[in-house]
Amino acid sequence: MLWLRRLTAAFLGLVVLAVLAAAGGLWLLERYLDQPGPLAEEQLIEFPRGTGLAGIAARLETAGVIEDARTFNVATRVIGRDRRLRAGEYRIPANASPREVLDILESGQIVLHALTIPEGLSTVEALAVVERHPVLVGDMPEDLPGEGELLPETYMFARGTTRAEIIERMRADMARLLAQLWENRQEGLPLQSPEEALILASIIEKETAVAAEYHLVAGVFVNRLRRGMLLQTDPTVIYAITRGEGPLGRQLLRRDLEVDDPYNTYRYPGLPPGPIANPGRGALQAALDPATTDYLYFVADGTGGHAFARTLDEHNRNAARWRRIRDGGG
């Protein structure tokens, strides 16, 4: 039975060698997965939808994140993480190990880009911001929004988002917010529809850049509407001249106040026929919840804000003071 003992010993020896080899292979695999990568500095890398493991590994090698795509490919399959990698654009830190790269690609925490539409831009101006954005893709939609239909906000989006998609988000957000605010509006306002509220909000937005004044400015305009007074607001005259295609580029002149246009609130009573800009959330809230005040007038005060008045005499004094400041007289 000597041959049987020798055969058994040889078999056990092979088993031990196989275990040692497996242990050594596992140690090498773990060492590879945790070895810092060659990437010198943080980098954004996009993995388009439908990219398989081989394509991901190739992009990582090309970008300098890993040294060899085939090694990464095999190691990922061996540890069973080849089916959980998600498409998108990711931020890969410098010297990321293969394991860290896999963690990032499994997380789904893709890079988001920002598009900011400032309050008070006309739709023409807002669309120009969308068109110029370097990350958005695709042409501008044929069905362009009208004045006041876009909600000024900072919009976050993934690479690959189209210009048509972001514009539709802006449109939908404005419609949703306006409907919500209209439902919770102050009682007794001289506004017949959400559209009229939007018009008033656009005027408020163009009249003041001081958020703390929104509700007070709204109160002045509401008081004037209730009394049947002309709104006499300069931004509507500017819109009558430019139609929102850009800034006036000069001071408003006295003769401009005579322009025969329905947007000219120095000549035509009530609200103009449409918005003159895209108002933000603050101006919309103010239009539908104005301050309770007996002010009927306001004029710039030289500090970026406005001086408010109850009577025409008081307003004329404020206006004279503003002209002295504007003309350098103090």
Side-chain angles (χ1 to χ4, degrees):
M1 301 297 286
L2 179 62
W3 65 272
L4 182 59
R5 288 197 298 274
R6 288 177 176 173
L7 182 62
T8 302
F11 175 74
L12 290 173
L14 289 173
V15 170
V16 170
L17 286 174
V19 170
L20 289 174
L26 182 61
W27 178 81
L28 287 174
L29 178 60
E30 291 295 322
R31 184 177 179 185
Y32 166 76
L33 288 171
D34 292 321
Q35 187 76 20
L39 188 64
E41 58 184 24
E42 180 182 272
Q43 191 171 149
L44 297 182
I45 305 176
E46 183 186 10
F47 303 94
R49 188 177 301 276
T51 305
L53 176 58
I56 289 173
R59 292 180 79 87
L60 290 171
E61 180 182 333
T62 300
V65 177
I66 59 175
E67 292 180 344
D68 182 70
R70 284 177 294 184
T71 303
F72 181 86
N73 194 331
V74 171
T76 302
R77 291 184 187 279
V78 168
I79 62 175
R81 296 181 68 175
D82 54 307
R83 297 185 180 277
R84 295 180 290 179
L85 308 181
R86 302 169 70 174
E89 185 180 25
Y90 292 91
R91 194 180 305 278
I92 309 296
N95 303 123
S97 69
R99 193 188 305 277
E100 289 171 331
V101 172
L102 290 171
D103 289 342
I104 291 169
L105 298 187
E106 287 180 351
S107 72
Q109 295 178 359
I110 60 175
V111 173
L112 294 178
H113 299 269
L115 169 74
T116 298
I117 303 297
E119 292 89 347
L121 291 188
S122 70
T123 292
V124 170
E125 293 167 329
L127 292 178
V129 175
V130 174
E131 191 164 23
R132 289 194 303 265
H133 200 285
V135 177
L136 290 168
V137 299
D139 296 330
M140 299 293 283
E142 291 185 7
D143 179 25
L144 294 175
E147 196 67 82
E149 290 186 13
L150 306 176
L151 183 65
E153 288 277 8
T154 293
Y155 293 86
M156 306 303 295
F157 62 92
R159 187 178 291 275
T161 299
T162 68
R163 290 179 171 83
E165 288 171 339
I166 207 78
I167 289 171
E168 186 52 39
R169 276 179 60 188
M170 294 160 65
R171 230 173 183 168
D173 284 358
M174 175 60 90
R176 188 180 307 112
L177 177 60
L178 182 58
Q180 174 189 335
L181 293 175
W182 179 257
E183 285 300 313
N184 296 286
R185 68 190 181 278
Q186 191 180 113
E187 291 185 6
L189 294 177
L191 302 172
Q192 303 305 312
S193 66
E195 291 71 29
E196 288 193 355
L198 181 60
I199 295 169
L200 178 57
S202 73
I203 297 173
I204 296 166
E205 191 71 77
K206 296 299 285 187
E207 275 288 5
T208 181
V210 180
E213 291 186 346
Y214 282 157
H215 291 266
L216 202 54
V217 169
V220 170
F221 286 134
V222 164
N223 286 345
R224 294 178 75 92
L225 287 171
R226 283 175 173 153
R227 295 184 179 211
M229 298 173 66
L230 292 170
L231 293 185
Q232 295 182 318
T233 168
D234 290 356
T236 62
V237 181
I238 294 172
Y239 191 84
I241 298 169
T242 66
R243 281 302 190 269
E245 293 184 2
L248 183 60
R250 59 172 175 80
Q251 272 193 340
L252 199 63
L253 304 175
R254 185 171 294 276
R255 67 171 179 267
D256 294 327
L257 307 185
E258 299 300 322
V259 64
D260 188 7
D261 187 282
Y263 279 90
N264 183 358
T265 55
Y266 281 85
R267 292 194 60 171
Y268 288 84
L271 294 167
I276 61 172
N278 292 282
R281 188 179 301 267
L284 287 162
Q285 290 172 335
L288 289 163
D289 187 26
T292 301
T293 178
D294 52 2
Y295 288 137
L296 291 171
Y297 307 91
F298 61 89
V299 67
D301 64 3
T303 68
H306 293 84
F308 294 82
R310 297 171 177 81
T311 67
L312 184 57
D313 285 344
E314 185 183 0
H315 172 66
N316 287 338
R317 289 194 296 271
N318 290 338
R321 187 179 305 114
W322 159 239
R323 285 192 295 271
R324 288 195 300 272
I325 294 172
R326 183 192 64 191
D327 299 337

